[in-house]
Amino acid sequence: MNTTPNDLSTFYSGRHLQTVITSYGENHADTPTGNALHVDTRILRNPPEDPAVRARMMESNGLDPDVRHYVMSTPGARHLVDQAVTKARFLLTPENLHQWAGPQALRVDIHVMCGGGRHRSVAVAEEIAISLRAAGIGVEVEHPHIHRPITPKPKSGE
C-alpha cells in the first residue's frame, strides 16, 4: 500500500525553497534569463585587476574567504547586498510575488552578475544567501561560471 500523497507539496511548509540565486559572468554566452531581481557587482573592485592580489586571486574564486573579504571590503559592497536582500524580502510576500512574477510564482530568482562570474558575483551571491537564510528564507545558490577561465576586460566602446 502506497502512503505517499499524489501532491507532495503537502510535505513542505511555507518556508521551503523560496529563492534561487545564480551568480554569472556577463562575458559568457550562457547568461541566465527569465524574470529575476538583478544585482550588478561590476561597481566593486575586481580582484584579478588589482596588481597587489592578482596572482593569488587568479587561482581562486568568490567562495575563498580571502576573495570574499576583498570583495566585501569594497566601499558599497555591503549596501549592494543589503539592497538585494531588502528587495527580495519585499518580493517574497505573496501579494508582491504574484504581482511581479505571476500568479503561479513560488520563488524569487536573483541573478548576480560580474564580468567573468568567478569572484565578485560569487562573493556577493553568497553574502545575499547568508542574509536571506538568517531571515528564515529558503535559498539555493548556483555558480555556473565559477570554474571558467578569467575573461579579459572588454575594451571601452565594445
Side-chain angles (χ1 to χ4, degrees), residues 38-154:
H38 292 273
V39 179
D40 186 347
T41 67
R42 292 175 300 171
I43 62 168
L44 305 177
R45 292 184 301 183
N46 188 11
E49 292 176 4
D50 183 343
V53 297
R54 179 181 299 129
R56 191 173 79 242
M57 300 294 179
M58 294 295 274
E59 301 302 319
S60 231
N61 61 55
L63 297 176
D64 180 294
D66 290 336
V67 174
R68 221 143 122 200
H69 176 74
Y70 180 92
V71 171
M72 291 308 299
S73 65
T74 302
R78 178 54 46 198
H79 179 71
L80 190 65
V81 168
D82 292 346
Q83 269 188 321
V85 169
T86 298
K87 288 176 185 175
R89 290 185 71 180
F90 173 78
L91 291 173
L92 280 164
T93 62
E95 60 276 3
N96 292 330
L97 179 61
H98 296 155
Q99 184 177 22
W100 179 66
Q104 302 304 314
L106 299 173
R107 72 182 202 195
V108 168
D109 286 283
I110 302 173
H111 295 166
V112 184
M113 182 256 295
C114 68
R118 285 185 53 179
H119 298 98
R120 294 170 292 180
S121 63
V122 171
V124 169
E126 291 292 332
E127 291 292 324
I128 293 169
I130 288 168
S131 294
L132 290 173
R133 287 178 183 132
I137 296 168
V139 177
E140 178 181 305
V141 185
E142 302 170 347
H143 304 296
H145 298 158
I146 197 168
H147 297 295
R148 298 230 182 136
I150 292 174
T151 59
K153 186 175 184 177

Side-chain angles (χ1 to χ4, degrees), residues 4-25:
T4 305
N6 290 333
D7 180 6
L8 295 178
S9 67
T10 60
F11 284 142
Y12 300 102
S13 72
R15 300 185 83 140
H16 69 286
L17 179 64
Q18 298 169 356
T19 305
V20 176
I21 303 172
T22 304
S23 71
Y24 71 98

